Amino acid sequence: MANDKATKPPPYEGDELNMCLARAFDFNTTTAIVVSGTFPNPCGHMVLKVGDADGHYFHTAGGAYSRPKFMRELGFQRYLRENKKRVLSRRPVPITDPIAAQGKLDQLMATPWRWLVLPNNCASFVEEVVQAGGSNAGLYFNCPRAEAFK
């Protein structure tokens, strides 16, 4: 007997970036956002926002070896809602070399991310982009909820 119940889709985590946009992202307004983690993760999760009110959000999600995801504002709100997350903090990150940040982001978005919990996680993804852009912001322990991204 077939199961009549429809399978519920997984919570939205964003989309893969499969094309180059017509213009570069606006790294003049760059923000590291910490959101609550999914049980049993006590460290929370970090997302990179590039641009102002109508910016783009980037993060690693979806498994041990999957491509990073991006979202626009409505997608980010959907991500928070469907994953039962809330924003814990937002920290502006100064970028002095937006071309280098763009290049690093393009490279990372096209390549599967090898998730290794603390040494190679959501925070290190954000660090790689902003540090390529000339910032020295980062986390010592790669646990976004436990320390300030500075």
Side-chain angles (χ1 to χ4, degrees), residues 33-130:
I33 300 172
V34 177
V35 300
S36 53
T38 305
F39 182 81
N41 174 4
C43 287
H45 184 69
M46 185 169 278
V47 178
L48 177 67
K49 182 180 182 193
V50 178
D52 53 15
D54 194 31
H56 293 79
Y57 297 81
F58 304 92
H59 72 136
T60 59
Y65 199 68
S66 62
R67 285 182 46 206
K69 307 286 192 273
F70 88 104
M71 303 166 270
R72 298 300 298 261
E73 183 62 39
L74 288 176
F76 182 64
Q77 296 306 318
R78 177 182 170 196
Y79 163 76
L80 293 173
R81 183 177 59 255
E82 290 185 14
N83 289 278
K84 297 177 177 63
K85 294 183 180 284
R86 67 186 191 290
V87 172
L88 301 175
S89 68
R90 296 175 185 265
R91 295 190 74 86
V93 182
I95 300 297
T96 58
D97 188 349
I99 293 171
Q102 178 75 46
K104 178 54 83 172
L105 182 62
D106 289 345
Q107 174 194 357
L108 293 177
M109 294 302 290
T111 307
W113 182 261
R114 187 168 180 212
W115 186 278
L116 296 173
V117 186
L118 287 178
N120 203 49
N121 65 4
C122 56
S124 56
F125 171 83
V126 173
E127 286 174 343
E128 283 199 38
V129 175
V130 302

